[in-house]
Amino acid sequence: MDSLQQKRLQLSRAVSRFKRVSSDITDALLIASQHPQHRLQRLRCPVRPPALIHPVGPGVGWEMEEAEVESWLERSTSRPEHLSFSPSFQRCAYSTWIRENIHKKECCFFEKDVRADVCKCGYSKTDHVGDAIKPEDFTGDSWDRHRHIREVPTDAFGDISFGCLGQKTRKYARVSTDTSPEILYRLLTDQWNLSPPNLLISVTGGAKNFYLKARLKNMFRRGLIKVAQTTGAWIITGGTHTGVMKHVGQAVRDYALSSSMQGQIVAIGVATWGIIHNREDLVDPEGCFPAHYWMDEKGQGRLSCLDNNHTHFLLVDDGTQGRYGVEIELRSRLEKYISGKRLGNRESDVNIPVVCVVLDGGPGTLNTIYNAMLNGTPCVILESSGRIADVIAQVAGLPVRRVTIALIHQLMKKFFGQEYERFPDRSIIEWTKKIQDIIRMSHLLTVLRVSEDHHGDVDVAILHALLKASRSLGIDCWKRQLELAIAWNRVDIAETEIFTEESQWKSNDLHWAMFSSLVGNKPEFVSLLLENGVNLRDFLQEEETLCELYRKLPGGFFLRKIAKRVHSSCRSRRPAIGVRAQALSGEMIRMNHVSDEVRHLMGSFTQPIYPRSTPANQYSMSIEDSSMSLSKSQAGSHDALRDEKPEAPRDVGRDLFLWAVVQNNKEVAEIAWEQCRDCMSAALAASKILKKMAEEGSDADEGEEMKDLAKHYEKHAIGVFSECHNNDGERAQKLLVRASPFWGRTTCLRLALEADDKSFVAQSGVQALLTQIWCGELSVDNPVWRVLICMVFFPLIYSGFLVFRRDEVIQRETEKNEELKTVEKVTGSTLRTNDPTGRAKRLKPLGSWSRLVCLYGSPQVKFYWSIVSYFAFLLLFAVVLMVDFQVMPSPLEVLLYVWLISLVCEEVRQLFHDPDGFGFHKKARMYIKDMWNILDVLSIVLFIIGLAFRLTAVLFYAGKIILCIDFVVFCLRLMAIFTISRTLGPKIIIVRRMMMDMFFFMFLLSIWVVAYGVAKQGILIHNDSRLDWILRGAVYEPYLIIFGEFSTNIDYAAFDMDSCTMNGTDPLKPKCPVLNENQRPAFPEWLTIIMLCVYLLFANILLLNLLIAIFNFTFEEVQENTDRIWKFQRYELIKEYHSRPAAPPPFIIFSHLYLFIRSVVLCRPPVVCKEFRNELLETEEEELLSWEALMKDRYLLSTRQEQSQSVERRILDTSQKVNTIMERLEREEEVTSGAVIKQMARLEEQVAQSARALQLIIDSLKSRGFAVKEAQSLPSAAPDESPNTYVSLSEKEDGFHVNARQFHYPGSKITRFPVPEEKVPWEVSFSSYIPTYYTSEDAGEHVDGSESEAVDTYRNPGGRTGVRGRGALSRLGPNLTTDVFLTRWRDSERSMLEYLAVWDEHQGILSLPGGPVQSADRLPETLMSTMGKKLYEKISEKVPEGIKVFEGYVDDCRNTDNAWVETTVLNIHLDRASQVTIDTNNTVVHSHGSLQWQEVSGRTRIDSNQRDFLRLVAELHNRKF
């Protein structure tokens, strides 16, 4: 039975862990789904918790042990949200966890209080359990809170509903005051699914009668929500619907109503269970899902209602009712525990920061502030919020010695009003001391003053307070500050507080911040880090960093594709291995996988952008750490490269840009694009990659975002190219056709074509390049008629009738030289000597043969000859079909066949011609996609079929028919010649679109045609068996009716018996309709006429007008883009004729024969043309890229100027200025009104004083003696609060001890009597001073005689401490100690002064070697155990040589009124070559870190007192501290 219960307990505990790891199990199953044969081996029990994957009985063999599963699951950091459980299972698991871990407290002993039927715990008799009710004659112990309150499982948890419209349910739980904060944190994160916070905001202050001014209230709410939203913070309050908690709740409500962003603000209310009104609605041992809570503010009395706007509630129970403040201790422990958790992830060195925000408040709030600051928690005080907050705000800027008891009395009376009268003097003294300690810790105190323009935002004040507090943490404070700012995503704070003008940053110091910003998708920080010293080349120098970035990619399309590629490569490289090896080992992703996938997205014509990994060059990651899910389909492995390619050069800007683009991250990609060297190629490559990802992806919304981003980068490419073209057209054209070594050695033009970037190709600069290629070596300014004339009369080219491009270049160079000569004559300079190219000297005019070759080699001329040739072919074809089509082929027909063979050869050449390296498959797909190529193939196939039929005697005529039809196809192919025309080319595009519209229209029309035709045929004709006449009557005749040809048999008037046959025996006549006995048609004439009218109404009027409307819409839609589409398609025609042989068909067959012999027989490589792809020299490449970068900067500058001058931007700026002016006017109005109120108060006070003075004069005149006595007593003050005494002492003293006046005496539960600053000196009277007497029993021996009698003979020279006696010190009076500074120079150049320090493991800081001594001339004996006896003796010999740096009283926390510490600080400097130095170094080496040499620097973490001594040592050796 016990074992069964134990198993049930294990099961219930495993449920909660199963919720955390179930998503990882699901991911494993998805991975296993790709290996069905191993699915059961990898994980046999996908729905059981890991703790149950043990053998539980015979015949059940789980292959994976619990430890293996857990170790595997712990490596997975992702928890996808797609996995869901049934509500009943979730509630069962949640309830089980709550009952096991969360408890409440209840009273187990009822004892009547002064009220009837009410226990001393505050609950009524009916609220107690049965065994708590004792008999009336029971004479046992009296009720005790510690003994009669016990813990039992909680009975109040679940969801809470406040009944508000549109409001979600909240989470709540009743917890015991003794609950571990670790359990509460697990409840919040694991059970309530809250993400760990980046910041914890503890809001405290006034609860009852709390009022905030409207402006301060709005500012507080807006700032609190902004800081919580931007940083991902948790807000912790008291949770009730009163005071500051109510304001926090309303701020959360306003955000929920107005915000369109996802997520919610987490506001956790930690309230006392015993003071909650209507708490019985929350009680249910099985949990409430939900509990309906009624907020009854009117009937709550002394109790409080929960706030309906908080998101989570922890209701703290101590077993009593009606006691406020029960939750304070548990809340403090929870906040301290959360502050000890790591920020963001386990790798972070920074804990979750905590800040306390204070509004209003009373003495309890002061204690909260004081304890928080002692724990190192920064506090933000809102001035003008009331009471204690205003008291602290008033004195925050004053020196400590000016914060007197009298001043606190005055401020308490001013801000607390009537409540001040109930405060005892002892409390005022204690609060004065605490306020002094608070303002002394200025690095933890921030006062938000509403009247100051520079500090008017609550969110900025909160974050500023945290950063200010972090500066006191030591050497790496800047790193903590930057990590906090990145976690909060507050770049404004980083700019103003961290990256100041005084700070100097090294790139290596900020690499971790750059990585965190990139992974965390914080583009503003990425930009800020680049501006402040991060060098991308240094950051991505190691490819492991880039691989790690890909490991951190968010789950998406690219990561899934990479995962499939890795699985495919791993499966092809090795056979399947064991279960545990597959499940527990991470599969490796290398950068060549990324390269292969990017090459797939860009196109196979590109080369890999990353080199193949070798064993010495691997940078990998585990897929199991990636947040992704694999689809069931498996992608095949990528084919190996056909030949070895040179290693692609690195461009870190490109690497980062590509990383951002593949995850569709626009902001980071924008920043990285500005860092790219080849920015135009990068933009076009991004357009291609994004469009390919959108095409292959399954998410429609994500695909639209990718297409929008692709358009954005196409716009960038257009902008940069436009700047380049406007500056230098020749260089811009070089950029288009140069092979980019950073993007797979492809060109910008090729990328734009592959990405279908029509707008880019339509740019005037691109079209100018295409026109130049189209004209070849001919000038683009030659009229077409001159070219046509020279094609026939070629000798004209030698007369200057036709201009060549070489002639234009020479003419421009000549004109330039003439201008230079003119400048030289005027200025006397030698400008031509600075021209290193000498281009004009190298260029020579074209020769006779070269001019002829350039003429007939021009694509333009080839095109014109092809048109002439094609017209001749059609003429020959028509003549053969109509005139000379004999049984035996005539010479003209044979010539036609030869001509066709040349056309076929040309088509084959086009199919296999692949200068871009697409590969045959892609080239074939591109060939088939072209409509003109389809017509070519169709015409050739029809011709071959017709020729085959024509050569057969039986099918001779059928062959001629096919050839005639083929002639129609050849004629349609003739339209392709108009594509080059700027006027007719776009019209052909419109015709193609209209043909598609026509197809869909014909589908609609066919429905009406068939419907009417079949009905008409069935009514008129009876059982016609001739298929041709059936189709004629059912389809053809209805179709002709649309065009006005009506059949004669649909009415009686036009019927003619001679036009039809009765039985359908005449194949040339239709069958007659059914006749009656009068030999007249028997069909109802009215029906056929009505059917015809309806048919004409829909077919002629409706559908034809619809077709006209469709054509009109298509024309208007396409008209705007036809020019752009035509320019885009123009490229293929130009490229076709550029690669085409010069001879037209049929003479082109000789060129084909030459190409065949050259490439196949002689195996010579193809001729490389540089018009479409040009490899530049390295120097020319660098020069061109530098110029492109300059043009990019100009483009970005002009873009920013346009944005700043846009109407939307001006409206936004104007709105911001108006808001700023309004805020300043409101602020000045408040300041002015406040100043007027203060002046009126002073005036009233002066009037009252004048009245009293006048009354005093009148009374003195009546009775002089009494009046004098009264006058003397009036201005007198209590001797304890005399300000004159303090002022005189403050002028003499520099300061008083602080550590010796801490409230809590160290190592004990003793509390010191509060001693404010002004009451420290013994000379100042302090009549209410009653210090606690304390002497530790473990302090050692003391002075001879009775200690209590000798106490008064010793008085602390530093003043009062609040404790009498010996305390924790060993003797009354001075306790002598000695601290030794052993110093040395690190090297012979004296570059650094070092001192010997002792590492204190308990406190985690360094300290000086030292300890108590009997005489200041001897070393402490405690050093003997630290240094060793031998070294101790050698150093003791050097004591006389030492220099006393300091000797006197030390502010030690153990000091009392009668015992104190006096220290002698001795500096012994060691010579580097001495034996003592060698022995000391050996001791340090063998001390295992307990002894360390440290630099004498202000950055050393050391005790504050010893830091002052260290500064003196630095000054002694002339070192900067």
Side-chain angles (χ1 to χ4, degrees), residues 923-969:
K923 185 68 177 178
R925 287 196 301 269
M926 295 173 61
Y927 182 86
I928 296 298
K929 286 181 180 179
D930 190 354
M931 184 187 70
W932 306 118
N933 290 333
I934 295 176
L935 288 178
D936 287 336
V937 173
L938 178 62
S939 61
I940 292 171
V941 170
L942 287 176
F943 193 95
I944 294 173
I945 295 174
L947 178 62
F949 284 13
R950 179 249 184 279
L951 296 177
T952 305
V954 179
L955 301 175
F956 175 79
Y957 187 69
K960 183 178 180 180
I961 294 174
I962 294 175
L963 290 176
C964 292
I965 296 174
D966 190 30
F967 180 80
V968 175
V969 178

Side-chain angles (χ1 to χ4, degrees), residues 35 38 87 175 333 419 469 496 514 562 658 681 745 785 819 822 865 892 966 978 1156 1262 1323 1355 1442:
H35 306 275
H38 297 249
V175 301
R333 287 192 283 119
E419 190 179 358
T496 57
M514 188 68 172
I562 287 290
L658 182 61
S681 298
R745 308 206 73 81
W785 63 270
E819 292 178 358
T822 304
W865 278 121
L892 289 179
D966 190 30
F978 300 115
F1156 179 80
K1262 292 181 179 180
E1323 295 82 358
R1355 177 176 287 186

Side-chain angles (χ1 to χ4, degrees), residues 395-436:
V395 301
L398 301 177
V400 176
R401 58 184 63 173
R402 290 184 58 186
V403 182
T404 62
I405 298 174
L407 179 60
I408 298 301
H409 268 286
Q410 179 183 352
L411 295 176
M412 285 284 187
K413 183 177 181 179
K414 175 181 179 181
F415 294 111
F416 279 81
Q418 296 180 356
E419 190 179 358
Y420 164 75
E421 304 297 334
R422 299 194 300 268
F423 295 155
D425 292 339
R426 165 68 186 270
S427 298
I428 297 292
I429 294 174
E430 179 182 347
W431 298 340
T432 302
K433 172 64 171 63
K434 289 184 177 179
I435 292 174
Q436 290 176 350

